[in-house]
């Protein structure tokens, strides 16, 4: 990068930080109960840290600092192996995974609870990313599959005493079956029409859960759901396997961490397979993809069902963690939140979806004292993102290169 380009990048970074400070001004001094100004150092520090982190991350991405995510060091460019200074992908992945494993030992209960919420939404975001980011279908009812997975595990746990690990694939299968039923009837639609159908499906599911008293207990919800369990070797009297209920928050953390790792690997493999390339072809031009021999209807149905399966798994974990489910947890607002994570982070980008989930779940916890203004800031930031960076914070490199070409 030349010196003029470097100056241009960091000048735009400074301008962006000024705009974000103007946008976040209500958070700097106005208390929820009045108009008294509270210019404490801690508030300014939190605002400055949040703004600086997001904007520096965006700037580093714009100059190619995150190429290691999709391209390892020394990757061939144009047939010539190019030496790079970035660390290999395996090193970064190992460092991030090591930090994630050590996280419960470094932070307290509140931080663990926030991290668990973030990882639930990461699973949901990656599942919706298949539908919206890869296949290009607008889905406003994704939260219905989250609810189907949660209620499937709740009913199987209460009525049949089945273990969490056995119910996990069953919950994913039930959510996938629901997606197959609604998708078979609606995958020939496009755009706004498909969005309306999926939104209606989500409302139907919520109303059924809310009114089927004999099965779901209606608005009262289902309680007494079993937590995940595990067998632990016991050498006190020889070798025996002791069953333990994973009720501690730190142990629940590792369960959702394993699900997140599995989801990331599965979505990555799908994205870089022939199926993933077919989904991207449908996203760019469905008519041209069909002319080239891609069975667009069945590929779209496969994307819809695949995304629903990950939503069902996240729902099963949610039920096991809370040990209570009710229809109020699966409203349209949750669908909008997950969709916002995908759009904010970058459609089709796995690191982008993770960053979007962290931005919309973890960062608002910093501003919990200013609850009345969090949604104002959220709407303003999303508006600015759509105006100045519609591709998201960390868009996929393959898509960015196609747009440049």
């Amino acid at each position: 990068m030349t010196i003029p380009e470097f100056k241009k990048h960091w000048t735009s970074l400074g301008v962006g930080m000024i705009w974000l400070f103007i946008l976040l001004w209500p958070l700097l001094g106005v208390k929820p109960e009045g108009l008294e100004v509270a210019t404490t150092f801690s508030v300014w520090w939190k605002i400055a840290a949040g703004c600086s982190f997001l904007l520096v991350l965006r700037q580093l991405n714009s100059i190619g600092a995150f190429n290691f995510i999709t391209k390892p060091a020394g990757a061939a460019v144009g047939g010539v192996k190019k030496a790079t200074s970035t660390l290999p992908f395996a090193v970064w992945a190992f460092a991030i995974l090591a930090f994630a494993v050590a996280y419960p030992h470094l932070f307290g209960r509140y931080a663990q609870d926030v991290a668990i919420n973030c990882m639930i939404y990461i699973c949901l975001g990656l599942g919706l990313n298949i539908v919206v980011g890869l296949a290009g279908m607008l889905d406003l009812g994704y939260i219905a599959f989250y609810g189907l997975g949660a209620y499937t595990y709740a009913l199987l746990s209460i009525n049949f005493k089945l273990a969490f690990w056995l119910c996990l694939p069953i919950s994913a299968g039930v959510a996938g079956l629901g997606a197959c039923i609604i998708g078979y009837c609606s995958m020939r639609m496009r755009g706004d029409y498909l969005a309306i159908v999926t939104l209606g499906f989500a409302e139907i599911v919520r109303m059924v859960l809310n009114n089927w008293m004999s099965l779901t207990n209606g608005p009262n919800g289902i309680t007494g759901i079993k937590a995940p369990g595990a067998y632990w070797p016991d050498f006190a009297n020889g070798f025996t396997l002791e069953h333990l209920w994973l009720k501690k928050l730190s142990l629940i953390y590792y369960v959702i961490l394993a699900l997140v790792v599995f989801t990331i690997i599965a979505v990555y493999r799908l994205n870089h397979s022939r199926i993933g390339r077919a989904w991207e072809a449908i996203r760019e031009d469905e008519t041209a993809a069909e002319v080239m021999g891609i069975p667009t209807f069945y590929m779209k149905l496969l994307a819809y069902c695949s995304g629903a399966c990950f939503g069902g798994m996240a729902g099963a974990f949610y039920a096991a963690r809370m040990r209570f489910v009710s229809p109020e947890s699966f409203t349209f607002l949750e669908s909008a939140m997950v969709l916002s994570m995908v759009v904010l982070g970058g459609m089709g980008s796995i690191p982008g979806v993770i960053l979007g989930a962290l931005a919309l779940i973890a960062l608002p916890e910093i501003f919990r004292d200013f609850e009345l203004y969090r949604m104002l800031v959220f709407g303003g930031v999303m508006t600015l993102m759509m105006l100045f960076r519609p591709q998201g914070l960390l868009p996929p490199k393959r898509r960015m290169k196609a747009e440049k070409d």
Side-chain angles (χ1 to χ4, degrees):
M1 178 183 294
T2 62
I3 294 179
E5 291 177 345
F6 181 82
K7 290 182 178 179
K8 180 180 178 181
H9 279 296
W10 288 99
T11 300
S12 63
L13 173 62
V15 173
M17 290 186 66
I18 293 173
W19 274 108
L20 265 184
F21 271 108
I22 294 173
L23 178 65
L24 297 176
W25 175 253
L27 293 176
L28 296 178
V30 183
K31 291 184 178 180
E33 62 271 9
L35 298 177
E36 182 181 353
V37 177
T39 55
T40 61
F41 175 78
S42 61
V43 174
W44 282 95
W45 181 85
K46 291 176 181 178
I47 299 295
C51 294
S52 302
F53 173 74
L54 290 178
L55 286 169
V56 170
L57 200 60
R58 173 197 179 279
Q59 200 67 22
L60 290 175
N61 178 68
S62 67
I63 63 177
F66 292 100
N67 287 341
F68 64 86
I69 294 175
T70 55
K71 183 177 64 179
V77 179
V80 179
K81 188 173 182 180
K82 181 180 178 182
T84 61
S85 58
T86 57
L87 293 175
F89 170 78
V91 176
W92 287 99
F94 178 79
I96 295 173
L97 184 60
F99 174 77
V101 171
Y103 185 88
H105 304 285
L106 301 176
F107 300 95
R109 182 180 178 84
Y110 175 72
Q112 295 174 25
D113 190 63
V114 173
I116 290 173
N117 286 336
C118 288
M119 288 191 283
I120 291 176
Y121 279 98
I122 287 173
C123 289
L124 291 173
L126 290 174
L128 184 60
N129 187 48
I130 295 176
V131 182
V132 177
L134 298 183
M137 299 181 291
L138 182 56
D139 185 1
L140 297 180
Y142 184 73
I143 210 66
F145 309 119
Y146 184 48
L148 286 176
Y151 269 88
T152 298
Y153 173 62
L155 293 172
L156 292 177
S157 175
I158 294 296
N159 298 325
F160 299 98
K161 310 299 181 183
L162 295 183
F164 169 78
W165 301 107
L166 180 61
C167 295
L168 191 64
I170 298 176
S171 298
V174 170
L177 179 61
C180 185
I181 294 173
I182 189 64
Y184 191 81
C185 304
S186 61
M187 283 299 105
R188 299 190 188 278
M189 300 180 181
R190 302 183 186 180
D192 300 338
Y193 303 102
L194 178 61
I196 293 172
V197 170
T198 56
L199 177 60
F201 171 70
E203 286 301 303
I204 290 172
V205 170
R206 188 181 66 84
M207 294 300 293
V208 169
L209 297 177
N210 196 56
N211 292 282
W212 197 345
M213 294 294 298
S214 60
L215 182 66
T216 66
N217 201 26
N220 298 323
I222 300 176
T223 60
I225 304 170
K226 294 294 184 181
Y231 286 95
W232 190 261
D234 184 11
F235 300 96
N237 299 315
F239 177 77
T240 58
L241 293 176
E242 181 182 359
H243 185 269
L244 300 175
W245 294 108
L246 305 179
K247 295 182 179 181
K248 291 183 62 177
L249 201 61
S250 58
L251 299 178
I252 290 290
Y253 170 89
Y254 288 115
V255 175
I256 186 60
L257 178 62
L259 291 180
V260 167
V261 172
F262 169 78
T263 304
I264 291 174
I265 294 174
V267 174
Y268 178 86
R269 297 292 296 174
L270 286 172
N271 187 14
H272 292 81
S273 66
R274 295 179 60 185
I275 295 175
R277 289 191 288 271
W279 286 340
E280 291 185 346
I282 294 171
R283 179 192 66 199
E284 298 301 327
D285 193 328
E286 185 174 345
T287 304
E290 191 167 6
V291 170
M292 293 300 294
I294 297 175
T296 56
F297 174 79
Y298 293 105
M299 282 296 174
K300 289 167 64 177
L301 184 61
L302 178 60
Y304 197 60
C305 295
S306 300
C309 289
F310 293 112
M313 287 196 303
F317 172 80
Y318 173 80
R321 180 221 172 182
M322 301 301 295
R323 283 176 266 178
F324 168 78
V325 290
S326 66
E328 287 77 13
S329 302
F330 313 107
T331 59
F332 169 72
L333 183 61
E334 294 295 318
S335 287
M337 183 66 73
V338 178
L339 181 61
S340 299
M341 295 171 188
V342 176
V343 175
L344 178 65
M347 292 188 294
S349 170
I350 295 176
V353 172
I354 296 173
L355 180 61
L358 293 175
L360 295 185
I361 301 300
L363 287 184
E365 295 298 325
I366 300 176
F367 307 117
R368 180 162 290 277
D369 294 335
F370 305 95
E371 185 175 358
L372 295 180
Y373 298 96
R374 287 193 297 171
M375 295 308 295
L376 170 66
V377 175
F378 169 73
V381 171
M382 290 299 294
T383 302
L384 287 179
M385 283 294 301
M386 293 303 99
L387 289 175
F388 298 105
R389 194 171 178 81
Q391 66 270 33
L393 292 172
L394 289 176
K397 296 298 180 183
R398 186 162 57 185
R399 189 170 185 176
M400 289 290 292
K401 184 178 179 181
E403 290 178 356
K404 290 180 180 179
D405 294 341

